[in-house]
Amino acid sequence: MGDSANQATAAAADGGVRAGGGDGDTGAPVPRHGRAALLRLATWFEAAESDTAHELFTAAFGAHPARHLGGTGEDAVAATTSWWDAPLARTAALRLAGALPAAPVPDHGDQQARLRDAAESSAHWRRTAAQELRRVLAEPTGDDARPHLSGLALDVLMELLTAALGAGDATLSPVCAGDLELGIRLHVRSVPDARIILRGADGDLTLEGLRMQVTAYAVETGTDDAADGACDRGVPEPEAAARLVRQA
């Protein structure tokens, strides 16, 4: 096979290369590498017959027929048989790969348990903070209220206060915001001379011009708001009436 392929290569080259190794037209050296060599090889392929082209390809790229593994003596496969048509070779490597056990599925049970415990703990402390707000702010705050709240209770109160002041203009009508999961609702109304100083471990928070009350979630009217009807939970107004000042 190698001799015939080399002969085919030589025969194809004879059409364009002189015996001295130069180009047939100009006498320039024949390129053996790079783009020019591939273009010359493509020219030989185009001019060659089918059988000659196969031999030329084998000689140029060293693509000799495959040698098949496995099989019994009666099932011998010819060396010229394509890998595409030949039966699968039964090798030790294939048997070993098929015998390997599947990788176990990672168990994320511990991670899920930790996340679940953290979520339950957070929900528990938020419910505790909501109960504290219900107890401390069960009645409307006066003109100079100074309730003491824990850090978690103050955080929950700030969430509700932000939502309430964003629901409408407290100077026009009472506003409110609730948390169904915690079961509480914050009622806010504007009273120009009122002041609330929320005292906590991190400092005091002063709210001027407001009165607040925390009720059950289902209650939509605070004690001071009975004459005004349900609180406003509508479209937010551009500005809120209250002025929040953090004091050291």
Side-chain angles (χ1 to χ4, degrees):
M1 180 66 181
D3 293 340
S4 60
N6 292 334
Q7 293 172 0
T9 306
D14 285 342
V17 182
R18 294 180 179 178
D23 186 277
D25 298 328
T26 64
V30 177
R32 297 181 179 275
H33 304 285
R35 182 173 181 271
L38 291 177
L39 290 176
R40 177 171 291 276
L41 182 60
T43 302
W44 294 347
F45 277 129
E46 184 178 11
E49 299 292 338
S50 177
D51 293 341
T52 304
H54 282 293
E55 294 182 352
L56 181 61
F57 182 87
T58 300
F61 298 103
H64 300 285
R67 298 296 186 265
H68 300 275
L69 304 177
T72 62
E74 293 78 7
D75 299 331
V77 179
T80 56
T81 303
S82 169
W83 284 12
W84 185 266
D85 300 324
L88 180 65
R90 300 296 177 180
T91 64
L94 289 178
R95 290 195 296 271
L96 180 60
L100 292 177
V105 178
D107 183 8
H108 299 290
D110 293 341
Q111 180 183 14
Q112 293 173 352
R114 289 194 299 270
L115 293 175
R116 182 171 56 252
D117 292 343
E120 292 177 353
S121 176
S122 176
H124 167 73
W125 288 112
R126 284 178 61 83
R127 288 192 296 268
T128 302
Q131 294 174 2
E132 180 182 349
L133 291 176
R134 284 287 306 274
R135 182 180 69 256
V136 176
L137 300 177
E139 299 295 332
T141 56
D143 292 340
D144 189 16
R146 297 172 180 267
H148 188 281
L149 296 174
S150 65
L152 286 174
L154 185 59
D155 290 342
V156 174
L157 179 61
M158 289 299 99
E159 293 177 8
L160 295 176
L161 181 59
T162 301
L165 295 179
D169 189 346
T171 61
L172 300 178
S173 63
V175 294
C176 67
D179 190 311
L180 179 60
E181 182 180 357
L182 299 179
I184 61 174
R185 186 181 299 278
L186 173 66
H187 302 267
V188 182
R189 67 178 294 117
S190 174
V191 178
D193 297 332
R195 182 176 64 171
I196 306 172
I197 300 178
L198 300 174
R199 304 172 61 189
D202 296 332
D204 296 343
L205 178 64
T206 300
L207 307 176
E208 296 184 354
L210 293 180
R211 282 185 180 173
M212 296 189 302
Q213 181 184 9
V214 176
T215 65
Y217 180 82
V219 179
E220 296 189 359
T221 303
T223 303
D224 286 349
D225 308 331
D228 299 322
C231 59
D232 187 0
R233 294 178 294 172
V235 180
E237 296 293 334
E239 297 180 356
R243 178 164 53 92
L244 308 182
V245 180
R246 170 71 69 176
Q247 297 180 350

